Amino acid sequence: MKISDLRLTVVGIPRHTGFVSKHVIVEIMSDEGVTGIGEMSDFSHLPRFSLDVTDLTAVLKSILIGKNPLDISAINKELLSNFPEMMFYYEKGNFVRNGVDAALHDLGAKALGISVADLIGGRIKDKIKVCFPIFRHRFMEEVEENLAVVRKRFQQGFDVFRLYVGKNLDADEAFLDGVKQEFGSKVKVKSLDFSHLLDWKEAAQAVKRLSAYDFQMVESPAFQNDFEGLRHFRLKVDHPVSEHVWSFRQQSEMIKHDSVDIFNISPIFIGGLTCARKAAAAAEVAGKGCLLGTTQELSIGTAAMAHLGSSLVNLNYTSDPTGPELYQSDIVKNPVQYENGYLIVPDRDKPGFGMELDPESIAKHKVDDLSWGDVSVHQLQDRTSQTKA
């Protein structure tokens, strides 16, 4: 079996906030008539440069066509030489490698008539506990809006939430107090996510202020790649510390400095399922826990993480992949399912990821490129459709 062709399709899917996130659907075709699908998820991040999709298609074709799609390790090695790690959280090369790697896994599993989970070692669990994100407060009036989100999602079965913090601590505290007063122990806050906005000292002061409220961990409480700062923060606070993995050098430094308790692993940020499995294995060897992170993927990317998570022995914390719940639409006929706060792993008898593209939805949401237009930094950070004065 050989790879015969590749197609990249850019779609713009609006979130419920009105913000439009752009994703690239990857289709890799084989000479045996099997097609694998993947997702380069949510390119709408800083830094504000975009890729030429026509040129990217030509580059990837030159790498992939004629290769055996089951030679996933060899292809990943070549992809890494063309799209190297840059030690940056939102490195676009990792997004590219993730989409291709996912499509290769989907194609290979379909060709063998098995699920991706079975291709990568079999499943340990059939559902994964997840939390719903509450996006960062900049204004006090957003507190009631976010409490309304908790009420709505709690009724849908989500009882664990992740709170982005650090822009307006008064509002963060008011929100946590509102959750405590209204829901008590029925609702849990998984983490305070600082997203590298504060240095470790400022983050430590913020955690001290908010420690009157229950939360399970603290995420990204230092500037990017400040491994010493992360370690100082970890020694200063009582809560477990989590950080995303966006390169193997960065993960190695965090292990060496003993900077974290939990590795937040997402294929999109480390460059695919192949790399995510290596990162999880490194965490296991280092005696660290894992959770699945997210950039808020559509159903293809989320299904890939469900298959990954189902096979991990050290996935021992509540995870983040609830992206499909944040969008007004999707590009598959059978979106991933959530039940009582769990992401359901697609059925084992469905080959590949168990996802089927919806041509009508793709045609409706297709856009020409990954260009930015008039989007403010606040819109990018808060995923809103407009910036308040």
Side-chain angles (χ1 to χ4, degrees):
M1 181 170 59
K2 302 294 182 183
I3 295 172
S4 59
D5 204 358
L6 169 137
R7 178 164 54 234
L8 303 180
T9 305
V10 184
V11 293
I13 309 294
R15 298 186 179 212
H16 290 297
T17 62
F19 183 91
V20 178
S21 291
K22 292 187 176 181
H23 313 260
V24 179
I25 305 165
V26 182
E27 297 173 82
I28 298 179
M29 299 79 162
S30 75
D31 58 1
E32 296 185 2
V34 182
T35 296
I37 59 175
E39 183 185 303
M40 301 177 189
S41 311
D42 198 6
F43 270 92
S44 308
H45 283 290
L46 295 168
R48 291 181 66 172
F49 61 78
S50 57
L51 301 177
D52 183 319
V53 179
T54 300
D55 183 66
L56 179 60
T57 301
V59 169
L60 292 177
K61 282 185 176 182
S62 72
I63 295 171
L64 295 171
I65 290 180
K67 298 282 201 317
N68 185 330
L70 290 172
D71 287 338
I72 294 176
S73 294
I75 293 174
N76 265 276
K77 183 178 180 181
E78 187 168 356
L79 287 171
L80 187 60
S81 68
N82 284 272
F83 304 94
E85 292 183 337
M86 304 296 289
M87 290 282 285
F88 183 71
Y89 186 19
Y90 297 118
E91 168 52 40
K92 300 299 193 291
N94 288 350
F95 288 34
V96 171
R97 291 189 288 117
N98 172 66
V100 174
D101 183 68
L104 291 172
H105 277 84
D106 187 56
L107 197 167
K110 285 176 176 174
L112 296 171
I114 59 176
S115 74
V116 167
D118 290 327
L119 181 69
I120 61 177
R123 60 183 68 195
I124 296 171
K125 54 181 74 71
D126 293 316
K127 60 182 181 179
I128 297 166
K129 185 66 177 178
V130 293
C131 60
F132 197 88
I134 301 297
F135 291 102
R136 190 168 283 108
H137 300 97
R138 288 184 297 116
F139 307 99
M140 189 62 73
E141 57 263 33
E142 292 172 325
V143 171
E144 183 52 43
E145 296 173 10
N146 279 334
L147 287 172
V149 172
V150 175
R151 294 185 196 106
K152 175 183 177 181
R153 295 301 179 173
F154 181 71
Q155 291 299 318
Q156 295 173 343
F158 294 99
D159 59 354
V160 183
F161 294 82
R162 172 168 56 108
L163 177 63
Y164 289 89
V165 297
K167 281 289 189 181
N168 186 327
L169 289 177
D170 290 337
D172 295 336
E173 186 170 14
F175 172 82
L176 290 168
D177 188 68
V179 170
K180 181 178 180 180
Q181 295 300 324
E182 183 170 346
F183 296 95
S185 62
K186 293 184 293 184
V187 161
K188 293 180 174 58
V189 176
K190 186 204 80 171
S191 61
L192 305 184
D193 189 341
F194 286 91
S195 304
H196 318 108
L197 293 180
L198 305 181
D199 67 31
W200 74 266
K201 293 181 181 178
E202 293 172 318
Q205 291 172 350
V207 169
K208 181 178 180 181
R209 174 178 174 178
L210 299 175
S211 288
Y213 303 96
D214 291 331
F215 51 91
Q216 297 171 354
M217 68 182 73
V218 181
E219 297 192 273
S220 304
F223 293 146
Q224 288 189 35
N225 299 320
D226 181 7
F227 311 114
E228 286 286 355
L230 266 179
R231 180 175 182 274
H232 286 310
F233 178 91
R234 180 171 178 251
L235 293 174
K236 195 173 184 67
V237 303
D238 295 328
H239 290 83
V241 176
S242 170
E243 182 57 280
H244 302 77
V245 179
W246 53 78
S247 83
F248 289 117
R249 167 66 186 280
Q250 175 239 7
Q251 185 182 28
S252 174
E253 291 291 336
M254 288 192 287
I255 292 173
K256 182 169 68 176
H257 288 85
D258 203 16
S259 299
V260 301
D261 303 284
I262 305 158
F263 284 117
N264 182 316
I265 297 173
S266 177
I268 189 71
F269 294 129
I270 190 64
L273 292 172
T274 299
C275 290
R277 292 176 63 207
K278 291 180 181 178
E284 183 181 3
V285 171
K288 306 294 186 182
C290 285
L291 64 86
L292 292 179
T294 184
T295 184
Q296 313 307 348
E297 295 81 356
L298 300 173
S299 277
I300 298 173
T302 305
M305 286 192 287
H307 283 272
L308 170 66
S310 75
S311 69
L312 295 181
V313 297
N314 57 334
L315 182 64
N316 38 24
Y317 291 90
T318 299
S319 292
D320 300 337
T322 52
E325 291 290 311
L326 302 180
Y327 292 101
Q328 297 179 24
S329 186
D330 213 315
I331 44 80
V332 296
K333 294 181 178 179
N334 52 333
V336 294
Q337 298 297 308
Y338 296 88
E339 293 179 6
N340 299 319
Y342 285 85
L343 168 62
I344 305 303
V345 182
D347 292 342
R348 197 166 198 164
D349 59 358
K350 294 180 180 178
F353 293 133
M355 297 284 109
E356 181 182 356
L357 294 177
D358 183 346
E360 291 185 5
S361 181
I362 292 172
K364 177 181 177 181
H365 296 292
K366 184 178 178 181
V367 295
D368 293 332
D369 53 42
L370 291 167
S371 60
W372 288 88
D374 183 17
V375 180
S376 72
V377 172
H378 283 314
Q379 286 173 281
L380 299 178
Q381 291 176 335
D382 300 339
R383 292 308 201 244
T384 58
S385 59
Q386 58 188 2
T387 303
K388 298 180 181 179

